[in-house]
Amino acid sequence: SFCQKENNEENAEIIARIDEYTKITYDEIMYINKAIIDRLKYAFIVFYKDIIYDKFLRIDQGDYQSFEEVTVSIKETISYLMNDIRKVENVASLTTFSLDDGVFEAFIEETVKNASDSNMALMTGIRALNDILSPGYLPGRLYLWLGITGGFKSAMLLHSCRWIKLFNQVTPRRKDPGCTPVVLYITTENSVEESIVRLFNLSVSQEDIKNFSAEEVIDMMREKGGYTLKNGETNIIMKYYGNLEIDTNDLYTIIDEIEEDNNEVIALVFDYIKRIRSAEPTNDEIMRLKYASNEMKDLAIRLKIPVITAQQINRAGNMTIDSALESGKEDLGRFLGRGNIAQAWDLLENSDWVGVLNVERERSTDKRYLTIKELKKRYKSHTEITYINHPFVEGSTIMLVDDVNLDKSVSKLSLASDLVGVSEADQSSRGSKTAKERKKVDSSFSSEFSLENIMGSE
């Protein structure tokens, strides 16, 4: 019909040969169709072939100043190639569900199984926070912590590593069930040494680590902190990379390397998202944050793990806190909202859960509390509470009270009044749980900072 409407010599030739086309068999049509789909999906490989070949050719031609220069150039190109490959694979994985017999049943069975598995959620050490997260860090989801400059973001990420280790017994799902579960902590903000010091202070002792010998610190962290790695226990692996040294594609490589050694990464904690390059090339920082958050979300879905990261609130948010503090107000975290996300609104859009942090003092007692306010949740909530104040251990500026195995929550709804605690306020909207009803776990901890390698050496 198109050819007849567009009457020209070429179309007339097509019409004249229609009879020849109709002689193509069904199998031939399917072959052609498959070939076209293949070319449309993977034609980019031809583009990369020539580029990569030219880069390797520079070695024979001596067109370089160092092998490092050539290597970096090739790595960058291969990173773009892997990004395009993963895009194709992501599209394919998202279109595999159908109502066909066998496919439909398999997906429903897996969905119901995962929804019924209480061990899918990685619990924190704070009862009220678990209720807000509903019921903890879940696989396939991107979690974003926000805070002012120096506002406990890195400490919260380290606490998350510790909590996942201490308060969860995890059975690996993607690999051999007998392999070691691993929480991968990647820092681009603080060195591994700085992170170890913080880990010591937030879980073992408030004293300066310099007051102890290396042997004393090792014993304290192993015994009091529970940083052990017995059979079935979760390991913590820490890695440091410089600002913008790696991109989101490198995360797959890092995880693959860890999992080659009989491990399975069960959670990725990244400090923090502003300091990683996106696999999608861009020179615009806002677009980079948009792409990076989207790519981290894809990683969470593909590997079926929670990805937990952080970002600073913007200047207006910092000014809001300062102004409220100068005015003598309390519950300062309540004044922060979605508009305080620095630079990229897409961070909020791409994240499944977003919370904001602030450290405050209760004026009546002068006790320190960590304020947590939920800004966004993309899934069903287990509680109506979205704002809590959780106490620090007396005298500590970094160690939080773990109440997950206590009879009730020690968090407060407000620092400005004598409102009831979280567990009492929330009891009417959900059945309150005793410590016995909650998940009981071994309070022992794990090890390349890993705990196993770093703690056992100087």
Side-chain angles (χ1 to χ4, degrees):
S1 297
F2 174 81
C3 291
Q4 288 174 337
K5 290 178 182 177
E6 301 293 330
N7 192 20
N8 59 37
E9 293 183 4
E10 184 176 335
N11 289 345
E13 178 67 16
I14 293 174
I15 294 172
R17 300 182 62 178
I18 284 292
D19 287 342
E20 296 180 31
Y21 300 143
T22 58
K23 295 176 183 178
I24 298 176
T25 66
Y26 174 80
D27 288 342
E28 290 171 334
I29 292 173
M30 295 307 296
Y31 174 83
I32 294 171
N33 190 55
K34 185 177 179 181
I36 292 172
I37 292 173
D38 173 78
R39 293 339 184 251
L40 290 173
K41 287 176 64 176
Y42 297 104
F44 60 83
I45 197 70
V46 178
F47 169 78
Y48 285 105
K49 174 185 73 71
D50 294 335
I51 293 179
I52 294 175
Y53 176 78
D54 288 342
K55 291 183 182 295
F56 276 107
L57 193 62
R58 291 178 59 192
I59 298 176
D60 293 335
Q61 296 173 341
D63 182 23
Y64 60 89
Q65 293 184 351
S66 66
F67 280 158
E68 180 183 12
E69 176 195 343
V70 179
T71 301
V72 169
S73 178
I74 292 173
K75 178 185 176 182
E76 183 181 57
T77 302
I78 292 177
S79 177
Y80 295 152
L81 169 61
M82 291 304 301
N83 190 45
D84 284 338
I85 291 174
R86 289 195 176 100
K87 284 181 181 178
V88 171
E89 292 175 347
N90 281 342
V91 171
S93 65
L94 294 174
T95 58
T96 53
F97 174 76
S98 75
L99 301 181
D100 292 334
D101 290 341
V103 177
F104 177 77
E105 289 79 4
F107 265 86
I108 297 300
E109 289 173 4
E110 183 69 16
T111 300
V112 173
K113 175 185 174 183
N114 290 339
S116 306
D117 187 354
S118 60
N119 291 321
M120 292 288 286
L122 299 177
M123 311 294 284
T124 76
I126 300 177
R127 290 179 59 136
L129 177 57
N130 289 332
D131 288 336
I132 291 175
L133 291 174
S134 301
Y137 292 123
L138 291 165
R141 290 179 177 163
L142 175 62
Y143 294 86
L144 177 66
W145 287 103
L146 301 172
I148 62 174
T149 304
F152 210 75
K153 299 183 298 300
S154 293
M156 174 54 80
L157 296 180
L158 280 171
H159 270 293
S160 295
C161 292
R162 169 180 167 270
W163 288 330
I164 292 172
K165 159 66 181 167
L166 283 177
F167 302 117
N168 299 273
Q169 290 181 335
V170 181
T171 301
R173 291 175 172 82
R174 291 183 288 108
K175 299 188 68 180
D176 184 348
C179 67
T180 302
V182 170
V183 179
L184 174 58
Y185 177 79
I186 295 180
T187 171
T188 59
E189 176 77 357
N190 304 297
S191 69
V192 171
E193 289 78 8
E194 291 172 319
S195 298
I196 292 174
V197 171
R198 286 190 174 191
L199 203 60
F200 175 79
N201 290 138
L202 65 81
S203 59
V204 177
S205 174
Q206 305 164 35
E207 293 190 52
D208 193 326
I209 198 171
K210 293 182 293 185
N211 295 339
F212 305 93
S213 68
E215 290 76 15
E216 289 174 325
V217 172
I218 290 171
D219 289 342
M220 293 170 70
M221 293 188 74
R222 291 290 198 193
E223 295 174 14
K224 185 177 180 180
Y227 295 93
T228 60
L229 191 57
K230 301 173 185 176
N231 289 338
E233 292 184 346
T234 299
N235 193 0
I236 294 178
I237 293 179
M238 288 186 182
K239 290 181 176 289
Y240 170 80
Y241 296 93
N243 183 34
L244 303 179
E245 181 179 350
I246 61 173
D247 65 32
T248 54
N249 268 337
D250 293 320
L251 298 176
Y252 289 93
T253 303
I254 295 167
I255 291 173
D256 286 344
E257 290 175 351
I258 290 173
E259 295 192 341
E260 285 176 359
D261 191 22
N262 198 35
N263 297 311
E264 180 181 304
V265 174
I266 61 169
L268 170 62
V269 182
F270 191 91
D271 186 12
Y272 61 105
I273 194 169
K274 184 180 178 181
R275 299 170 70 89
I276 189 171
R277 290 183 286 110
S278 60
E280 192 76 25
T282 179
N283 293 322
D284 183 277
E285 185 174 6
I286 293 178
M287 293 303 296
R288 175 168 58 80
L289 286 169
K290 172 183 177 180
Y291 293 148
S293 59
N294 192 43
E295 290 155 6
M296 282 187 166
K297 168 66 176 176
D298 287 342
L299 184 147
I301 293 173
R302 288 171 60 81
L303 300 186
K304 298 180 180 179
I305 62 174
V307 174
I308 308 161
T309 188
Q311 168 71 341
Q312 290 187 153
I313 62 174
N314 57 21
R315 185 178 301 175
N318 280 270
M319 292 174 64
T320 298
I321 290 292
D322 291 342
S323 176
L325 188 61
E326 291 173 3
S327 301
K329 293 183 172 62
E330 295 182 279
D331 286 336
L332 307 181
R334 291 188 186 275
F335 296 98
L336 298 173
R338 299 186 180 194
N340 297 127
I341 297 179
Q343 297 168 303
W345 181 259
D346 293 287
L347 286 176
L348 183 68
E349 179 64 27
N350 290 335
S351 300
D352 294 287
W353 186 92
V354 180
V356 63
L357 301 166
N358 191 50
V359 177
E360 302 183 31
R361 285 192 179 275
E362 185 179 39
R363 295 191 177 182
S364 59
T365 63
D366 202 38
K367 290 182 178 179
R368 287 172 60 88
Y369 284 81
L370 178 66
T371 294
I372 299 174
K373 178 183 180 182
E374 179 185 281
L375 297 185
K376 175 195 174 179
K377 181 183 289 165
R378 183 175 280 166
Y379 50 94
K380 183 179 179 180
S381 182
H382 292 183
T383 178
E384 295 179 359
I385 293 172
T386 59
Y387 179 89
I388 62 171
N389 301 279
H390 192 78
F392 286 87
V393 171
E394 189 69 32
S396 175
T397 61
I398 193 171
M399 190 183 296
L400 294 167
V401 175
D402 293 329
D403 66 357
V404 68
N405 284 330
L406 300 181
D407 289 334
K408 65 177 183 178
S409 170
V410 299
S411 301
K412 290 188 174 184
L413 290 176
S414 174
L415 299 180
S417 67
D418 294 326
L419 291 178
V420 295
V422 169
S423 60
E424 299 168 272
D426 206 22
Q427 188 170 351
S428 60
S429 62
R430 60 174 176 84
S432 87
K433 299 179 181 178
T434 66
K436 291 182 180 179
E437 290 172 324
R438 288 180 172 269
K439 186 182 297 182
K440 291 292 186 179
V441 296
D442 184 357
S443 62
S444 45
F445 209 95
S446 138
S447 174
E448 181 185 26
F449 243 155
S450 161
L451 295 171
E452 184 178 39
N453 298 337
I454 296 295
M455 294 294 292
S457 62
E458 192 171 304

